[in-house]
Amino acid sequence: MFYFNYVKVLYVFVEKPLSLQKFLMLKNYFYIALSVLLLSSLSAKAQDSKVQARNQETSIEGLSFYPNPVSNGKIYITSKLSLDKEITIFDVLGKKVLQTILNSRELNISALSPGVYIIKIKEGEATATRKLIVK
């Protein structure tokens, strides 16, 4: 039934009988276009799910850390709750360079060489990730 309707639609658009070779070529173009449309819609759904996963991550209320960029080897991390914080610092390649539990506001990072880092701060169930620059 679908095949018959497909031929009928093609005949209406072209308004003359198609040779078998042209018909098969148009059929292939139709399936290619349909496949591209299907794959692009699946890709969009996958990207939407990534955004939803990021939005579900709870952030730390009132988080601030300073100074950034760091030049004196110390950063100060504060938040509204002031609970103990699990601090993890990664280099730009993703290698963990520092991990500690912070129960005060001051974190000594003088052991880090100058560069760009990613700092992950976890307080209770909330997590925040920020860029850290060491000069």
Side-chain angles (χ1 to χ4, degrees):
M1 177 94 179
F2 176 76
Y3 184 76
F4 176 73
N5 288 338
Y6 182 72
V7 172
K8 190 174 174 182
V9 168
L10 285 177
Y11 184 79
V12 169
F13 282 125
V14 178
E15 295 183 358
K16 63 180 181 178
L18 295 173
S19 68
L20 181 61
Q21 186 178 16
K22 285 184 180 180
F23 172 75
L24 292 176
M25 184 176 71
L26 284 173
K27 185 175 109 177
N28 288 340
Y29 285 145
F30 172 75
Y31 286 125
I32 290 171
L34 187 64
S35 299
V36 168
L37 183 64
L38 178 66
L39 289 175
S40 65
S41 68
L42 289 176
S43 173
K45 286 181 183 180
Q47 290 175 358
D48 287 345
S49 67
K50 286 180 185 178
V51 170
Q52 288 173 353
R54 272 192 226 127
N55 290 341
Q56 289 174 354
E57 179 182 282
T58 56
S59 61
I60 300 173
E61 194 173 338
L63 176 69
S64 103
F65 77 96
Y66 55 90
N68 193 16
V70 182
S71 56
N72 64 355
K74 293 180 183 177
I75 60 172
Y76 299 91
I77 303 172
T78 61
S79 68
K80 188 174 181 179
L81 296 178
S82 297
L83 300 173
D84 288 352
K85 296 167 187 59
E86 181 182 332
I87 309 294
T88 311
I89 299 178
F90 302 92
D91 64 11
V92 290
L93 299 175
K95 180 182 174 189
K96 190 185 305 182
V97 293
L98 180 74
Q99 184 169 16
T100 186
I101 303 292
L102 186 66
N103 50 17
S104 66
R105 293 174 21 162
E106 184 178 305
L107 177 64
N108 184 355
I109 58 167
S110 60
L112 298 179
S113 57
V116 178
Y117 297 89
I118 303 298
I119 182 168
K120 182 178 178 184
I121 305 164
K122 183 175 181 185
E123 182 180 52
E125 295 298 315
T127 304
T129 305
R130 303 281 189 272
K131 180 169 70 171
L132 173 67
I133 300 171
V134 178
K135 289 191 172 191

